[in-house]
Amino acid sequence: MAHPEDGNVTIGVLALQGGVEEHLRILAGLGAGTRRVRVPRDLEGLDGLVIPGGESSVIDKLARAFGVADPLRAAVDRGLPVLATCAGLIYCARELENPSPSQQTLGLLDITVRRNAFGNQRFSAERTVPVVVGDETLPIEASFIRAPLVTRVGEGVEVIATVPHEDAAEVVVGVRHGAVTALSFHPEENDEARVHAAWLAGIS
Ligand code: GLN
């Protein structure tokens, strides 16, 4: 198996729309090889895949148009590790409370998600969120940009981050199930590399 410190892992970033470059920069900074993923053959030989933020309905539409949605789902079923942020989390969910018309998701995580759930200006766009990373809980600098929240967590899905929200004392903004980790927010917008680093360490 490849090791990130050898520069031998190759991590794909789904590069159809959204914040692709920020993830590529962080992954390269951590010593991983990177590849933009747009079509099915880009998935070949990957050690992991990042699904970035952006607009989940557009990512869904393009992924289906480029024929990459089904191969991506199949690769994750075979164990391809995934790190998803914001629209990426939405795209991984099994169920959306408020999808765009005809919006589909990959259904990789048994969660229900509400899109654009932090619209209120009372919720600051940048904050420090405690995130369970490996054996530790780390204060992660996070940007929330029209961020989703997780309103239902299925069996076996681990909650790794919560924040206070107007509707409830704490709401879920980070989950993990097996090799799939998903966050409502963007550590990559703040050059915060520790979530990516821990995820990479788990791959090798
Ligand atoms: N609200 C966006 C969506 O529904 C997600 C925003 C983001 O990725 N920063 O896809």
Side-chain angles (χ1 to χ4, degrees):
M1 206 17 163
H3 294 277
E5 56 272 26
D6 301 335
N8 285 339
V9 287
T10 302
I11 304 299
V13 178
L14 189 63
L16 301 168
Q17 189 266 339
V20 175
E21 301 305 318
E22 294 87 338
H23 285 289
L24 289 171
R25 194 172 59 236
I26 286 193
L27 292 164
L30 292 168
T34 59
R35 184 193 300 160
R36 291 174 176 77
V37 172
R38 295 197 176 93
V39 293
R41 69 168 180 278
D42 297 334
L43 291 164
E44 279 166 27
L46 288 183
D47 298 297
L49 179 76
V50 170
I51 306 181
E55 174 51 49
S56 56
S57 58
V58 175
I59 293 173
D60 159 49
K61 216 170 275 175
L62 292 173
R64 284 188 280 142
F66 285 38
V68 78
D70 287 337
L72 199 167
R73 190 185 288 111
V76 177
D77 283 347
R78 289 194 301 271
L80 181 70
V82 168
L83 176 63
T85 59
C86 204
L89 173 142
I90 297 168
Y91 192 39
C92 286
R94 183 163 297 171
E95 189 180 28
L96 303 183
E97 283 189 5
N98 51 350
S100 282
S102 80
Q103 177 171 7
Q104 296 182 18
T105 59
L106 293 172
L108 304 177
L109 285 168
D110 183 16
I111 56 175
T112 303
V113 169
R114 183 182 306 158
R115 298 168 62 226
N116 306 319
F118 292 94
N120 194 308
Q121 60 273 33
R122 273 184 289 159
F123 192 88
S124 68
E126 295 209 4
R127 52 165 58 199
T128 305
V129 180
V131 182
V132 178
V133 176
D135 296 337
E136 305 172 275
T137 300
L138 300 177
I140 297 295
E141 295 304 317
S143 293
F144 286 75
I145 307 170
R146 293 183 304 120
L149 72 80
V150 178
T151 56
R152 182 190 63 87
V153 174
E155 216 179 298
V157 178
E158 182 193 350
V159 172
I160 60 168
T162 62
V163 292
H165 185 266
E166 63 202 63
D167 292 347
E170 291 281 321
V171 292
V172 176
V173 290
V175 291
R176 194 171 75 93
H177 188 213
V180 182
T181 298
L183 305 171
S184 291
F185 48 87
H186 298 276
E188 72 282 3
E189 291 282 339
N190 301 306
D191 279 327
E192 166 61 80
R194 290 175 295 171
V195 175
H196 292 68
W199 176 75
L200 276 180
I203 288 175
S204 52

